[in-house]
Amino acid sequence: MSAVLSQVPQNITATEPDALTGYRTFRLGAFEFRRDAYFAKVSWQVKGQSRSHEMPADAFLRAMMRDVAWGFFYGWVNFDDVLGTRNHYGRVDLYAGSYNAEFKKAGVDHLEQFDTPVIMATFKAILADWVNEGFDPFAAPAETGSAFGFKQGENMAAIERFRVATRRMPGLASDSPLRDDLPVNRQFSDVPQDEPEIRARPGFEGQLHAFNLFKYLSRSDVTWNPSVTSVCKNSLFCPTTEEYILPIFHGNDRVEWFVQLSDEITWEVGDKNTGAPRARVTMKAGDVAAMPADIRHKGYSTKRSMLLVWENTTPDLPKRYERGELPPYPVTF
Ligand code: PHB
Ligand code: FE
C-alpha cells in the first residue's frame, strides 16, 4: 500500500482515494480499514489467512467518533461484538474477536497494541476521510443527514467539535460556559429554563455557585457524549442526552453509576470478556443503577432522555479490579 497523500498526515498509511467510491483505505499494524457506500470493512491476518468483519458505515463512524472524542475512554470500547479498543492509558489495544467467545474458540481473533498517539492519529484520519458533508456522528439519526453513499465533501466541524471540559462547574468565572446560545432541543421544549438565585454570604462571592442542569442539558446538540460537568476530587459528574442507541458497547475497568434524570433508557448488559448476555435493565426517571466492573453495556433511548454518568477517577482502580482486590460490585447484598 502506498503512503503519502495530500490531506492525510504523513505518518498514516493510506491509499489514494478509490476511483469508484472516493474513499481511502487505511492500514494500522496488520489491520486494514476499507469503506464503500454502505459498509466499513476491517480485515486482518491470522495464521497466514485473511479474516474480515463488516459494520454498517453509520454505526462504525458513530463508534469511532466516540472512541476519538473520549480519548479511548475507560477500559473497553466495543464498536460491536467483534471490533474494539482497550485503553491501557498510554497504549491502546485494537482487537477483532478478542472479546467474543466464538471468535476465540475458532482461533480467528487478533489483537495489536499501539502507542495512543499512533492509533488516535489513524482513527482521526479515517473519520476525516469517511465522514461525508451533512453527516454528524454525534447527532441523533433524526437530526442528521446520511452516512451512506460515495464520498461527498467532509464535515470537519462536526468531528472536531470542542468537548466540554469543566474544571469545577459550568458558569463559574474562568470555567466552561453555560450554553445559553444553543437552542432548546425539539424533545426538551417542556424543560423549565429558569436559573437558581445565588446569594452568597459576604466574603464568599464567586465561591458559591449553582445552575439549572436540566436547562443546560435541554440545549445539548449531541447525543451519547457524557461531558465532565462537575469535578470534586476524583468524583466526576458526566451528564449526557441520549436518543437512539449508544454507538458502543462499553466494558468499564471500574464501577460506574447511572442516574436516570428524565424519560427512559433500556440497557443491554453482557459479560465483559465473552459478550454473553447477562441482563436487560430498564431505567425510568429517578432510577439509579451501578454498572459493575465485569460487564459491557449498551443503551437504547427512544425519546431523547437525560442521563447522569458518575465516574470515579481514583488512581489505580483498574489495576485493583483486574487483580481481584475489589469485587466488581459496589455493594454486596
Ligand atoms: C457508558 O458507557 O457508560 C456511557 C457512554 C456514553 C453515554 C452514556 C453512558 O452517553
Ligand atoms: Fe460505561
Side-chain angles (χ1 to χ4, degrees), residues 252 254-258 278 288-295 310 312 317 321 326-333:
N252 211 339
R254 65 199 75 193
V255 169
E256 73 188 322
W257 289 83
F258 290 160
R278 274 183 50 179
V288 178
M291 288 288 155
D294 61 352
I295 55 103
W310 184 18
N312 185 343
L317 269 189
Y321 281 113
L326 297 170
Y329 312 102
V331 184
T332 307
F333 295 105

Side-chain angles (χ1 to χ4, degrees), residues 73 250 252 256 258 297 311:
F73 210 30
H250 180 220
N252 211 339
E256 73 188 322
F258 290 160
H297 54 259
E311 291 284 1

Side-chain angles (χ1 to χ4, degrees), residues 86 253 272 293 315-328:
R86 179 183 180 185
D253 53 17
K272 188 159 75 181
D316 265 3
L317 269 189
K319 285 201 174 68
R320 293 175 69 190
Y321 281 113
E322 191 150 20
R323 285 198 296 260
E325 197 180 306
L326 297 170

Side-chain angles (χ1 to χ4, degrees), residues 17 34 96 145 175 184 188 218 224 296 313:
R34 181 184 296 273
D175 211 325
V184 175
F188 291 138
S218 74
W224 304 105
R296 63 180 77 177
T313 61

Side-chain angles (χ1 to χ4, degrees), residues 66 70 73 223-226 238 240-242 246-252 256 258 265 267 291 297 307 309 311:
R66 302 309 186 283
W70 304 343
F73 210 30
T223 59
W224 304 105
N225 190 33
C238 309
T240 158
T241 54
E242 319 297 48
L246 172 57
I248 61 145
F249 228 129
H250 180 220
N252 211 339
E256 73 188 322
F258 290 160
I265 297 179
W267 291 97
M291 288 288 155
H297 54 259
L307 172 72
V309 180
E311 291 284 1

